[in-house]
Structure formats: structure tokens, C-alpha cells
Amino acid sequence: MGISIKTAPELEKMRAANGVVGRLLVELASRVKPGVSTQALDDFSRGFIESQGAKPAFLGYHGYPASICASVNEQVVHGIPSDRILVEGDIVGIDVGAVLDGFVGDAARTFPVGKISGEAAKLLSVTREALNQGIAAARNNGHVQDIGAAVQAYAEAAGFSVVRDFVGHGIGRAMHEDPQVPNYGRRGLGPKLKSGMTLAIEPMVNAGSFAVDVLPDGWTVMTRDRRLSAHFEDTVIITEGEPEIITRLD
Ligand code: CO
């Protein structure tokens, strides 16, 4: 299947669906604090998504049991919300998805829980900026691997590594469309980017090695060396000029 180019009315629906997840992440930022369980964040998120007339995109996806992913510390992505209580010093990656009017929104942030270590703070700021670098490389007539090359160069220059086993993706009527968007690669390689494409760009950056394992629950991804990992994700529209980030409020 080729990479879909969205029409103007389809892009409007993408902005609406992704606006829901962008607003939810802002609400979550102030609710992540010591003493809160990841299940409480899931409950809040489901209520928020439904209050917007949308549906949680993750709930039931390949049997996934919750509305958000909440990945703590050495968990990379796809952590399942539970009665685990967040404590001061944790970092928690929260990934949210919503379906509105037939289109999918998808975005993630990694939040500090109270005061965190210097290494954790650096990992968050480097991963956030690696995402910005990847987004800036997502240009009409460029190539998919321009994105990963930019992410990888930034993260590795800071002494961190980028996860290979999970990637970003095209997004639209389905959460996962073509193309795959790796967070590593070589400039000039991969499918050509064209205005009207919509991509979820989502670097996962590890403090140590890029090796990861999936736990026996079938979902939770952990760093093999059990060092910290962070994840930031935005959905963007490729345009004739700067990419349009539709999961950030400004
Ligand atoms: Co995604």
C-alpha cells in the first residue's frame, strides 16, 4: 500500500483528532505527580477523550487493555497502566491516542515526577529536542530517513542511543499506516515525503544501550540494561514549507 496523501477536508479532521490528544497531554502534565497511580491517569484520559466526543484509539487495539500507555523509568513504551504509584524521581512516558470522526490522533510526552536526577533531566531534554530535529527534517521532497538521521545524530551526540525495534509511522484513518518512520537512518534514503502526508514521529531514546526486550505481558518494552528511556511523539502534516505539528497547543 502506498503512502496516503490527505485532502484538505481530511487534514481538517486530522487536526481535530490530534487536537484532542494535544489538549489531553497538557491536562496530564499537571496531574503527573508523586502519589498518583498510572491507572488514575488512564481513567482521567479515557474520560477526557470521551468528553471530546472521541474514542480511545489504543483500547482494544490488538487486545491492548487500556486507553493510554504509561511507561516508567526503564520501561521504553507500551507500559500498561496499573495500581503502581508514581514516586518522586520517576520519569513516566505517557502515550495517548484518540479517534475522532474517523481519523486518529497520536502523541506522547515523558514527564518528570517531582524532582528528578540530572541524568533523567538531560534524557528528557535531549529526547524532546531529538523529536524537534526529526520534525524539522520532515520536508516536502525529502526522504523518510532524513527524519531518523536527524534524530539519531542529535541523540547520539548527547551520548544516548536510539531504539531500533520500534518506529514512528504514517497515520490517518488507521493509527498505523505506511511508511514506517525509524529513528535512525541515512539522509536521502527511504520513501519520498510529499505535502499532505501525515506522520507520527516518535523517538525512543535510551540512556545506555539501544537493546530492548518485551516483557511476558506481551506489551511492556524495557531497556535490556535497565537504564532509563524516554519517548516523545508528535503527529505532523508535511507541507510545502515547515511541517505543521498538530499535537501541540500554541
Ligand atoms: Co505512534
Side-chain angles (χ1 to χ4, degrees), residues 205-223:
V205 176
N206 292 354
S209 143
F210 61 72
V212 299
D213 293 301
V214 180
L215 292 195
D217 67 19
W219 287 103
T220 312
V221 179
M222 304 257 276
T223 57

Side-chain angles (χ1 to χ4, degrees), residues 20-39:
V20 172
V21 301
R23 292 194 296 279
L24 171 55
L25 287 167
V26 170
E27 293 295 323
L28 284 167
S30 59
R31 286 173 167 81
V32 171
K33 50 192 172 198
V36 170
S37 73
T38 55
Q39 183 60 54

